[in-house]
Amino acid sequence: MKTSDEVRQFTVEADDDGIRVDRWFKRHLPQVGFGTVSKWARTGQVRVDGKRVKPDDRLAQGQQIRVPPGGDAAHKKPKAKRELSQAEIEQAHDMVIKKTKSAIALNKPAGLATQGGTNTFNHVDGLLDAFVEGEDDVRPRLVHRLDKDTSGVLLVARTPGSAAFFSKRFSGRSAKKIYWALVVGVPDIKQGVIEAPLAKQPGSGGEKMHVDHEGGAPAKTKYRVVETAAKTAAWLELQPMTGRTHQLRVHCAAMGHPIVGDGKYGGRDAFLTGSISRKMHLHARRLIIDSPDGGKLDVIADLPEHFAASLEQLGFDENASDATPMRDDPPPKSREEKKQQARQHAKNYRKAQRGPRRARGGTGGKGPAKGKGKR
């Protein structure tokens, strides 16, 4: 929005329902600093439905905001839209799986970073200007991330309100994320839960994680073996219940079955011989999340070429998994556990049939017992 020398009136839209006054200014008038907003609120110059407000008061859809003239800071000008090349625009649109009023679901290719960093100039965040068509359109924003070498579903929010909505679902763990992975070797237990706390590995500059039972943050992953190729490799479904950095990669390596192509955590053991690709075989296959538009947003991402080719070479059928979220039921009991449960059940049954035991030395309520005594 442009600067003005006149009093301005704005209507609170549905996307801003429940937002704080200061956050509303940050979204819609970023050139107005927080100090100015606080001063306007303190002196009664900014009003909502004609009433005075504080910066931390919440707004409701349909309310009218009065904004006084001026307050524009030169160092707070809105960020200019980045000019993208035609190739970058095509790259962005080629990733789109699904568009809704509140979100854009992308299929991020392996090798493309989610965000920029040192010497990282080509990334998803830098391509989001491709989805800004009009001058007044809001720039989409990331609400979660994938590792550079991980492919699959990446959700982008189209408005600030939907970004807050989705972020809350991700942080609250109600979003269901199901990954596909090829791992070296075959786990002995076909379905289970990996619980191993994770922390940054000392000396790695924070670039690598490791299992740390003393000071690590709790990390939990459900897994299920879909198919196996002798003892060479296994195709797994992985469902992270927490969102730690590199969680799936570290958990698979800690289980003794590193993800194929993940040399960072599996070393030389992470690569299969023959024609199997050396790229990482970890793919965010499906995302199920509540939508601010109502109902669920359910998105599936096609496999990258190297992953699909590896499945075929190993004799796996891509239709063997529908990436359904795993239930919270406890894993099946072992044969010994079932026997112990049966023995305990029989013992309890016999005890119930006998009825209450008599007290030792008692007479069943027939008076004192006569016994032989010493003379």
Side-chain angles (χ1 to χ4, degrees):
M1 295 181 184
K2 298 180 180 180
T3 59
S4 175
D5 295 327
E6 301 176 353
V7 172
R8 291 157 284 180
Q9 295 285 342
F10 301 96
T11 301
V12 178
E13 303 293 339
D15 204 43
D16 294 321
D17 186 59
I19 195 175
R20 287 167 43 135
V21 171
D22 54 353
R23 293 291 298 175
W24 183 92
F25 274 92
K26 189 172 182 179
R27 282 185 187 178
H28 300 286
L29 293 172
Q31 66 272 27
V32 179
F34 176 77
T36 301
V37 175
S38 298
K39 179 181 176 182
W40 283 347
R42 188 170 61 252
T43 56
Q45 295 182 72
V46 60
R47 290 175 177 262
V48 175
D49 286 348
K51 299 178 182 178
R52 297 172 69 113
V53 290
K54 294 183 290 186
D56 60 351
D57 283 346
R58 300 280 176 177
L59 297 171
Q61 180 182 357
Q63 288 183 322
Q64 297 293 313
I65 304 175
R66 176 196 184 276
V67 178
D72 307 309
H75 65 284
K76 287 279 188 176
K77 289 182 179 179
K79 185 178 179 181
K81 177 184 175 182
R82 179 180 168 228
E83 291 298 326
L84 300 177
S85 67
Q86 186 59 36
E88 288 176 315
I89 293 173
E90 291 176 1
Q91 182 185 14
H93 286 283
D94 285 346
M95 290 191 291
V96 175
I97 307 171
K98 187 174 185 177
K99 276 187 178 182
T100 69
K101 181 181 177 182
S102 59
I104 304 173
L106 305 176
N107 186 355
K108 187 190 82 65
L112 179 65
T114 302
Q115 293 175 291
T118 306
N119 297 322
T120 302
F121 306 104
N122 185 29
H123 47 84
V124 175
D125 191 39
L127 298 173
L128 295 183
D129 284 305
F131 303 111
V132 181
E133 298 174 358
E135 185 178 334
D136 294 329
D137 285 356
V138 179
R139 187 180 190 273
R141 60 186 70 188
L142 297 165
V143 288
H144 68 128
R145 63 184 298 275
L146 295 175
D147 291 344
K148 180 178 179 180
D149 294 320
T150 301
S151 57
V153 182
L154 184 67
L155 194 67
V156 178
R158 301 187 73 172
T159 67
S162 60
F165 181 93
F166 288 129
S167 295
K168 188 175 293 185
R169 269 66 192 171
F170 280 112
S171 62
R173 312 301 175 202
S174 64
K176 304 294 184 184
K177 296 178 286 183
I178 300 89
Y179 290 73
W180 281 359
L182 281 185
V183 299
V184 177
V186 178
D188 293 330
I189 302 174
K190 303 308 179 188
Q191 180 172 341
V193 178
I194 307 166
E195 293 192 79
L198 304 179
K200 292 180 179 179
Q201 184 169 307
S204 68
E207 294 295 321
K208 194 172 182 181
M209 306 294 286
H210 73 137
V211 175
D212 183 351
H213 291 287
E214 297 296 327
K220 181 178 179 181
T221 302
K222 293 181 181 180
Y223 77 91
R224 184 177 77 86
V225 176
V226 181
E227 288 190 315
T228 62
K231 294 184 179 180
T232 303
W235 170 16
L236 304 186
E237 289 177 344
L238 300 169
Q239 185 176 337
M241 308 307 292
T242 51
R244 310 301 174 198
T245 301
H246 299 173
Q247 176 176 317
L248 302 182
R249 299 165 64 183
V250 181
H251 275 179
C252 285
M255 190 168 51
H257 302 285
I259 294 173
V260 174
D262 188 9
K264 185 168 191 171
Y265 290 103
R268 289 182 296 178
D269 294 336
F271 301 95
L272 297 177
T273 57
S275 58
I276 298 296
S277 172
R278 293 178 66 83
K279 291 182 179 180
M280 187 155 72
H281 290 67
L282 179 61
H283 179 71
R285 176 64 171 178
R286 188 176 184 182
L287 172 67
I288 304 172
I289 190 170
D290 292 336
S291 171
D293 305 327
K296 297 277 186 183
L297 181 62
D298 189 345
V299 188
I300 291 178
D302 290 339
L303 286 173
E305 289 184 9
H306 77 276
F307 202 135
S310 296
L311 285 183
E312 186 175 354
Q313 290 177 54
L314 291 167
F316 296 151
D317 179 6
E318 190 174 322
N319 296 317
S321 166
D322 57 5
T324 299
M326 286 169 249
R327 295 174 16 171
D328 294 327
D329 296 346
K333 291 184 171 63
S334 66
R335 183 177 297 179
E336 184 56 38
E337 288 175 321
K338 289 180 179 179
K339 286 182 179 180
Q340 185 175 352
Q341 187 179 40
R343 287 194 295 267
Q344 184 62 42
H345 177 75
K347 182 179 178 181
N348 291 340
Y349 177 78
R350 290 194 299 270
K351 185 176 180 180
Q353 292 299 308
R354 287 198 302 263
R357 296 180 63 181
R358 291 182 177 180
R360 191 180 297 271
T363 62
K366 294 183 179 180
K370 294 181 180 180
K372 295 180 181 180
K374 290 184 179 179
R375 296 193 179 216

